Amino acid sequence: MPASVADSDRIVAQFEVRYRQFLDEEGSPLAPLPDFCRDVDLMLSIYRGMHLARAFDAKCVNLQRTGRLGTFATSLGQEAIAVGVASAMRASDILVPSYREAGAQIWRGCRMEELLLYWGGDERGHAFADPAVTQDFPISITVANHALHAAGVAAAMKLKAEDRAAVCLFGDGATSKGDVYEAINVAGVWQLPLIFMIVNNQWAISTPLERQTAALTLAQKGIAGGLSVLQVDGNDVIAVRDAMMEALDAARRGAGASLIEGVTYRLNDHNTADDSSRYRNLEEVKARWRFCPLRRMRAFLESRAAWSEKRELAMQAEIASLIDSAADRYLATAPPLPDQMFAHTYARLPAGLMAQRVEALGRAHE
């Protein structure tokens, strides 16, 4: 740049991205803890919620491997984000999830057998029975477009002057798609009661983070849209919950939308049809277990004499029993009739498809 041009330049805007972490990898506090940490029962519930998410995840993988579930997207290592987010929300808020948020969905009231039905290819799994979650959105398999749905939900909330917010989760890969940028833009312009949570697990299937963006952080992608941004340790459930509570409070006060980047790591394959050993170093994965969110939270609880090996084993047995019962209910559910393939697409089924529907039902009863 010529000196004459450089001399004429002046700074017109400056930005920063802050990073939030309360617990180190060994569960020791690095800073004064939020007030909610004084609630021991809440802390124990959060720890249990993360364990339940991990055990459910493992059960789903086992069911898929034995031919009793469809392809399943695992969330091993990401439990602190799902539970941290959900535990900060009110029942009246609306969750707009991606496909790794079983921990959040279960916390909010989705039944495990409903999630199993969905992953088993049955759309009835999205007909949530608990009234507390009937307004939550279904699992979004398509990457990023549900961010626009969340913006629409938040816009409706604002128009109705409702005291609630929408929360949308998506992975690092989604931030490379236009849908997310469009949603960020409208959320900022309209000051929507909306929180975007980026689950940065370092991998968009087989594409590492450094090959999909040159940005120093993913959080900074919200700055251009005028959103409040923050990066948090996504393996520190206290940091995740604290950041979400802050963002939700701002949204309800009319202070606009936020974007939070939770930095974590995907400890398993992308899904049960993937083999991550083909594209990433297994030693890297092994090293990441040191940052396990469950290990960290357990150490924190034990340091406060709030947990023990006896309680750990009892909790694991209780969770295993709950999950096994849910799996039994799922496996005992009669498959849907073939006419279900014609449902939920048209308000009024075209004549050609109506004839096919009648034929499919007839064959089912032969």
Side-chain angles (χ1 to χ4, degrees):
M1 181 182 294
S4 59
V5 176
D7 292 342
S8 67
D9 290 350
R10 58 190 174 87
I11 296 173
V12 295
Q14 290 183 313
F15 309 99
E16 66 178 14
V17 176
R18 292 185 174 272
Y19 179 81
R20 184 169 300 175
Q21 179 183 7
F22 287 104
L23 300 180
D24 67 14
E25 292 74 28
E26 304 304 322
S28 300
L30 298 170
L33 298 174
D35 287 344
F36 66 77
C37 291
R38 298 174 185 171
D39 187 339
V40 177
D41 289 339
L42 173 62
M43 293 292 97
L44 294 176
S45 293
I46 286 173
Y47 181 58
R48 179 186 179 280
M50 290 195 293
H51 255 288
L52 179 58
R54 179 165 294 187
F56 179 75
D57 193 81
K59 185 69 170 183
C60 289
V61 172
N62 289 339
L63 288 169
Q64 190 279 332
R65 296 302 192 220
T66 53
R68 295 176 291 173
L69 201 70
T71 301
F72 176 73
T74 66
S75 60
L76 183 65
Q78 303 177 193
E79 299 87 358
I81 293 182
V83 176
V85 166
S87 67
M89 296 172 66
R90 295 176 183 169
S92 58
D93 296 328
I94 292 182
L95 178 70
V96 186
S98 181
Y99 45 75
R100 297 188 200 277
E101 279 73 58
Q105 293 179 286
I106 294 169
W107 180 282
R108 287 182 54 76
C110 288
R111 297 177 181 176
M112 288 183 282
E113 57 265 35
E114 291 172 338
L115 297 177
L116 290 170
L117 276 172
Y118 170 77
W119 288 110
D122 191 333
E123 289 294 334
R124 291 176 297 177
H126 277 160
F128 304 132
D130 191 331
V133 291
T134 52
Q135 291 195 68
D136 282 356
F137 271 47
I139 292 166
S140 176
I141 296 297
T142 52
V143 175
N145 67 346
H146 66 300
L148 292 167
H149 302 160
V153 169
M157 291 174 173
K158 183 168 184 176
L159 287 171
K160 295 178 181 179
E162 295 176 339
D163 182 26
R164 55 182 183 157
V167 176
C168 180
L169 295 94
F170 45 79
D172 45 287
T175 67
S176 298
K177 296 193 68 177
D179 311 60
V180 166
Y181 288 102
E182 293 164 16
I184 287 172
N185 188 64
V186 74
V189 170
W190 291 350
Q191 290 284 285
L192 297 180
L194 174 58
I195 295 89
F196 297 113
M197 169 59 79
I198 303 172
V199 185
N200 180 5
N201 66 17
Q202 314 298 315
W203 290 91
I205 309 182
S206 59
T207 304
L209 185 64
E210 63 270 17
R211 291 187 61 188
Q212 56 173 307
T213 182
L216 294 177
T217 70
L218 297 181
Q220 70 198 62
K221 296 189 176 190
I223 292 175
L227 275 57
S228 296
V229 304
L230 181 69
Q231 187 183 76
V232 302
D233 183 339
N235 291 336
D236 177 355
V237 70
I238 293 175
V240 174
R241 188 175 196 271
D242 185 66
M244 278 300 303
M245 290 176 66
E246 183 179 284
L248 284 164
D249 178 66
R252 296 189 186 106
R253 288 188 287 102
S258 299
L259 183 146
I260 303 168
E261 175 191 359
V263 181
T264 182
Y265 191 82
R266 194 190 77 211
L267 291 171
N268 211 334
D269 300 325
H270 172 71
N271 59 31
T272 52
D274 176 43
D275 177 8
S276 61
S277 67
R278 297 176 62 186
Y279 55 80
R280 66 178 181 180
N281 190 319
L282 294 180
E283 289 302 315
E284 172 190 324
V285 180
K286 183 179 179 181
R288 289 286 184 161
W289 275 96
R290 178 189 169 201
F291 302 92
C292 169
L294 274 67
R295 173 180 174 271
R296 188 181 308 194
M297 190 60 174
R298 178 175 178 175
F300 171 74
L301 292 172
E302 288 176 340
S303 70
R304 280 156 173 71
W307 201 244
S308 65
E309 180 66 14
K310 181 179 179 179
R311 297 186 70 174
E312 179 82 11
L313 294 174
M315 179 191 67
Q316 290 178 2
E318 179 240 347
I319 286 175
S321 177
L322 288 175
I323 293 174
D324 285 345
S325 295
D328 289 343
R329 290 191 293 273
Y330 154 65
L331 294 170
T333 302
L337 291 172
D339 68 324
Q340 282 298 300
M341 72 177 78
F342 300 97
H344 316 302
T345 303
Y346 295 94
R348 179 175 295 174
L349 202 63
L353 291 181
M354 180 66 76
Q356 292 181 33
R357 177 179 178 274
V358 171
E359 181 181 356
L361 276 175
R363 290 181 181 275
H365 295 298
E366 288 179 355

